[in-house]
Amino acid sequence: MSYKWPDKDKDEIVDYSVDWSRFLGTDTVSASVWYIYAANGTKEQVSNTETVNGLQFVQGTISADSKVSTARFSLGTNNVRYTIVCSITTAAGLQYERSIFLRIKEK
């Protein structure tokens, strides 16, 4: 199952989050890794200021309570729907990931 974030204008720099709190219960996020699917369909891990298929991953953070993973994005190509993946490792050593769609649309 994939989730969907609100559309982003290519000129915006926006934070998008995955809230793991209800899913994790008392466990917490110890690390999160972000991926963007490239135009050829490969899942590419991104780090600060890296651009994949025109979408730039600016930075990723974990909230102070270690329950929310946030990614900041800029740029993007109009009318393209990107698939973003947030992969986490918990304090208990479990690993999970969620796919999210992000569409770039002129506002």
Side-chain angles (χ1 to χ4, degrees):
M1 174 181 194
S2 294
Y3 298 93
K4 182 183 182 308
W5 283 322
D7 294 345
K8 177 193 163 320
D9 186 284
K10 65 180 181 62
D11 297 320
E12 295 175 325
I13 300 173
V14 183
D15 288 347
Y16 291 100
S17 298
V18 177
D19 185 346
W20 298 93
S21 59
R22 291 188 333 175
F23 181 73
L24 294 178
T26 59
D27 202 357
T28 58
V29 176
S30 61
S32 64
V33 178
W34 292 89
Y35 300 86
I36 300 172
Y37 274 88
N40 65 5
T42 60
K43 185 170 87 170
E44 297 194 18
Q45 183 177 338
V46 289
S47 57
N48 293 354
T49 70
E50 192 166 349
T51 302
V52 175
N53 197 27
L55 181 65
Q56 184 180 46
F57 175 82
V58 178
Q59 67 181 9
T61 59
I62 299 171
S63 64
D65 68 355
S66 299
K67 298 284 188 175
V68 178
S69 299
T70 301
R72 181 169 291 168
F73 295 100
S74 67
L75 305 174
T77 304
N78 280 332
N79 302 313
V80 171
R81 184 183 79 166
Y82 293 91
T83 301
I84 313 296
V85 176
C86 177
S87 177
I88 64 163
T89 301
T90 71
L94 302 173
Q95 295 181 335
Y96 301 100
E97 68 177 39
R98 293 290 177 264
S99 296
I100 310 102
F101 295 129
L102 176 61
R103 187 172 71 152
I104 306 302
K105 182 172 174 117
E106 190 73 35
K107 294 183 182 178

